[in-house]
Amino acid sequence: MSENDKTFLGLDLSTQQLKGAVVDENLRIICEETVIFDTHLPEYRTNGGVTVNKSNPHEITAPTIMWVKALDLLMDKLTVASVDFSKIVAISGTAQQHGSVYWQNGADKTLENLDPSNFLHSQLATSFSIANSPTWMDSTTKIECKCLEDAVGGPEKLAEITGSRAYERFTGSQIARIVVHRPEAYRNTERISIVSSFLASLFLGKIAPIDYSDGSGMNLMDIKTKKWDQRLLDTCGPNLADKLKDPVPSCSCLGTVSSYFVERYGFNENCKVIACSGDNPSSLIGMGLKKEWLGVSLGTSDTLFLWVSNPKTVLNGHILCNPLDQHAFMAMLVFKNGSLTREKIRNKYAHQSWDEFSELLERTPRGNFGYIGLHFDVEEILPVAIGEHRFNKEGKKLTKFSSNEIEIRAAIEGQFLTRRLFAEDIGFQIGEGTKILATGGASANRAILQVLSDVFGCPVYTQDIVNSAMMGAACQAKIGFTGNSENISDLPPPKLICEPYKNSEEIYKPMVLKMREILRNITS
Ligand code: ADP
Ligand code: XUL
């Protein structure tokens, strides 16, 4: 194979879809395909890729086998698109963070002996001891979170060790809940993967290790030593170290692709499988995020992240291991009610049209006459709150606003004001040179980005990459293949989309203070 013939495969197993992109050596996309869970796999009856338990709306899972079937479909789509699999020299992936997969006893053997003439989903149908994977949207584990914090001496101590106080979606408390509610299934569990290491396992043909960066989203790992904390493992369940195995550095090579993919799709038998990671760490890679930049991902969830060298202990946010530098970290804030909430507002007040939504948003003045809306369709993380809340300038509660455009601006400003408030709380300071790099589905919407720019008081850029997490996965494949993280300088440079209006800080600074007051009232 000549130098220029090499390609890389990056996958993104996100909440709502599985995407795959083949890129060339300069990280240019040659082919990209998507499988949307709700529409392409309707037999699993998911909504936004997940299933909400009707009798317990906090329980939000996804059928594990649906993700396997999505990979079968995606591989077929890439085949139909004439991808030459023999040119792919390395594969890596990214996935929703925290979600967990429970492999049934014997699953590792099944993975090793897959029959290339059959689909993966028909062969792995009985390989999961828990059929529905808890997802990052789940919030059922309050009790287990308290146990984890108590085990080490409180939330501060847990945050100091693992980078985060106990969060309900983090995998440690999720595993602990399975141990209590499904003891038999836990006993029959050979290994536990997180969604990213599950994706790597399918390509590797054996159960893959967890990478440091996504592993730091479990409330189980000491982020400084990069080892599981035995006290925390013991608090969650028996023999957990055996079920997790040791984590590995991000972007490390795990082995070569399984014979299933060689024989069924014509992969080269030397094609490397590189450790997969979580969507936020992968986005940090795919955005080429530098100091002074705040990454803002506007996907199913909204996440804010930045590169940090010497992290302080944070209680409202997370410190994760940095996927590019084993001595560095990334700070992250996650807001559950992101794009799906914006979609709900669009459907209710703008006839399901983003164009109309944007027009109405642009028609209203910055500050929205003091009207603020907060929409927490699922229990929010920051702040911990649920439901719809509307306020006027005086802070008086209202049940609705007088027009569709006021509703829309109130909701979007409400989202970004809370994002700014929590970013400031973890020490983020807007300075002269601060810039925002936006990504994710909603970063295609200029009107939304203008509000983001005004509320934060800094310019907003995007990249010519629609999906930075998936691009990050392709970069991981390249870094893992070459062993050099300097090798991703080909990423497209950020493009300026909008700048804050001159008086925006005068408007929004007091509104952040007002928001603080509001949050105190709705969460107390
Ligand atoms: P994920 O987090 O699942 O990877 P994406 O980053 O692909 O999600 O974002 C998907 C979301 O992007 C959709 O739920 C949709 O609401 C949102 N989106 C797509 N286009 C627009 C647009 N023009 N304006 C606002 N939001 C959009
Ligand atoms: C991060 C988080 C979400 C998911 C979304 O902590 O829970 O951003 O990773 O896929």
Side-chain angles (χ1 to χ4, degrees), residues 372 416-417 420-422 424 455 507-517:
I372 292 182
F416 293 146
L417 285 166
R420 172 168 163 181
L421 184 156
F422 285 102
E424 287 178 356
V455 171
I507 295 171
Y508 291 109
K509 204 169 172 178
M511 284 181 84
V512 176
L513 292 177
K514 193 169 147 199
M515 180 61 89
R516 202 174 282 286
E517 188 73 36

Side-chain angles (χ1 to χ4, degrees), residues 34 99 150 372 401:
T34 302
D150 288 349
I372 292 182
F401 293 128

Side-chain angles (χ1 to χ4, degrees), residues 83-269:
V83 167
D84 183 349
F85 294 107
S86 71
K87 289 186 174 168
I88 298 173
V89 292
I91 306 168
S92 190
T94 185
Q96 62 164 290
Q97 297 197 253
H98 322 298
S100 42
V101 169
Y102 299 80
W103 297 96
Q104 176 88 279
N105 278 328
D108 207 24
K109 240 211 161 64
T110 309
L111 274 176
E112 250 176 78
N113 295 303
L114 291 168
D115 170 3
S117 61
N118 274 324
F119 283 119
L120 288 172
H121 73 268
S122 47
Q123 301 183 69
L124 294 173
T126 57
S127 290
F128 305 107
S129 47
I130 301 282
N132 296 314
S133 283
T135 66
W136 68 276
M137 296 176 88
D138 186 278
S139 58
T140 53
T141 62
K142 278 198 173 54
I143 299 167
E144 291 77 9
C145 282
K146 174 89 174 63
C147 292
L148 277 173
E149 291 178 343
D150 288 349
V152 290
E156 281 88 0
K157 198 70 201 150
L158 188 65
E160 192 187 313
I161 300 167
T162 69
S164 304
R165 67 167 170 80
Y167 281 91
E168 296 178 35
R169 70 190 191 287
F170 274 42
T171 328
S173 61
Q174 291 290 342
I175 295 172
R177 183 167 185 262
I178 298 278
V179 172
V180 173
H181 291 262
R182 309 280 303 274
E184 187 63 28
Y186 182 78
R187 264 194 298 282
N188 293 334
T189 299
E190 177 173 7
R191 292 278 299 274
I192 299 172
S193 293
I194 48 178
V195 188
S196 58
S197 65
F198 156 77
L199 179 61
S201 307
L202 297 178
F203 283 99
L204 196 59
K206 55 180 176 227
I207 298 166
I210 292 169
D211 87 303
Y212 290 161
S213 210
D214 213 11
S216 53
M218 300 173 76
N219 273 145
L220 295 176
M221 199 175 88
D222 182 325
I223 56 168
K224 297 201 180 72
T225 62
K226 325 280 197 242
K227 294 201 176 355
W228 304 125
D229 182 294
Q230 194 57 48
R231 281 168 304 176
L232 294 171
L233 294 185
D234 292 342
T235 307
C236 292
N239 308 322
L240 190 49
D242 268 356
K243 298 190 200 283
L244 293 175
K245 302 282 190 239
D246 289 342
V248 297
S250 304
C251 303
S252 51
C253 179
L254 306 177
T256 52
V257 73
S258 82
S259 57
Y260 176 86
F261 286 87
V262 175
E263 285 164 43
R264 187 173 173 93
Y265 298 104
F267 276 83
N268 187 303
E269 59 187 16

Side-chain angles (χ1 to χ4, degrees), residues 2 58 66 143 160 170 190 220 305 307 361 406 430:
S2 90
H58 293 281
M66 174 183 78
I143 299 167
E160 192 187 313
F170 274 42
E190 177 173 7
L220 295 176
F305 44 83
W307 180 298
L361 185 56
I406 290 184
I430 299 157

